Amino acid sequence: MTMIEERAQAIEAVVTRYDEPGEENADEYYMRAALELAEIAAECGDVPVGCVIVRDGKIVAAECNGREVFHDASYHAETAAISQACRKLGGWRLTRCTLYVTLEPCPMCAGAIWCARVPRVVCGAKDAKAGAAGSVINLNSYPLNHKFEMKFGVLEKECREVLAEFFGKRRKNKGNGA
């Protein structure tokens, strides 16, 4: 089985585990799914960012970063999940959806969220280097024809830990000549 096939199976397993909302807060519940997806990205050598898109209490799309796996600079968790959700729902407007992502969207991803008319975004950790929902720039501050609600800090500690562990291992490996 190829890495791409293993990755797809792992993502599908996450969606199956989170098929029905749990007893906890819905935002935390779906962010936990996004965190599991982030772990899959890390296992594949990608920056650990995971994203799920939920509509009417069901996950309609789930993805993680795949730039290294697919050799595609635009294969971010959010853009891949948005494409998947559009195909599944049969249109480019993702109204009535909530996008859950472990790291604040970059400019490209914030633009895709705007283009897809996603009304609500729930984010784990802010991104002081490339965040486009308030950290570095704020797409919602421009006079565009759509604004999305942004909620930060859901399972922030866990989201930060996944990133810190990934980059810590990367720095350690570079120090060892790897």
Side-chain angles (χ1 to χ4, degrees):
M1 185 180 306
T2 69
M3 182 190 303
I4 291 173
E5 290 168 332
E6 288 177 12
R7 181 184 181 281
Q9 281 187 346
I11 290 170
E12 186 56 39
V14 171
V15 172
T16 300
R17 273 195 302 284
Y18 288 86
D19 191 37
E20 294 293 329
E23 297 296 316
E24 66 184 304
N25 171 302
D27 287 347
E28 289 184 7
Y29 181 78
Y30 291 117
M31 188 61 72
R32 287 192 197 292
L35 272 164
E36 286 191 34
L37 295 167
E39 294 282 359
I40 294 168
E43 290 168 13
C44 294
D46 271 292
V47 174
V49 177
C51 177
V52 297
I53 299 177
V54 176
R55 182 173 179 182
D56 299 330
K58 290 278 194 191
I59 294 176
V60 296
E63 260 296 354
C64 56
N65 275 358
R67 294 184 303 176
E68 300 297 333
V69 171
F70 296 106
H71 310 289
D72 181 347
S74 67
Y75 208 104
H76 289 205
E78 302 96 307
T79 56
I82 287 168
S83 292
Q84 187 182 111
C86 289
R87 284 190 305 275
K88 184 170 184 179
L89 297 174
W92 62 269
R93 290 179 188 90
L94 298 180
T95 56
R96 298 186 4 244
C97 291
T98 299
L99 184 146
Y100 295 87
V101 64
T102 57
L103 184 65
E104 180 180 359
C106 71
M108 176 182 67
C109 294
I113 290 164
W114 167 77
C115 284
R117 304 301 192 261
V118 175
R120 183 169 184 260
V121 177
V122 178
C123 180
K126 289 190 174 190
D127 185 350
K129 293 183 179 181
S135 291
V136 177
I137 62 171
N138 186 353
L139 189 70
N140 276 330
S141 70
Y142 292 92
L144 301 171
N145 61 343
H146 172 73
K147 306 266 187 241
F148 49 89
E149 174 192 339
M150 195 70 206
K151 180 178 180 180
F152 283 105
V154 175
L155 301 181
E156 179 178 6
K157 179 181 179 232
E158 293 90 332
C159 292
R160 288 197 180 287
E161 286 172 352
V162 168
L163 289 160
E165 181 180 334
F166 176 80
F167 286 111
K169 283 180 183 175
R170 188 176 257 186
R171 278 189 296 277
K172 183 178 177 184
N173 288 340
K174 282 187 179 185
N176 292 335

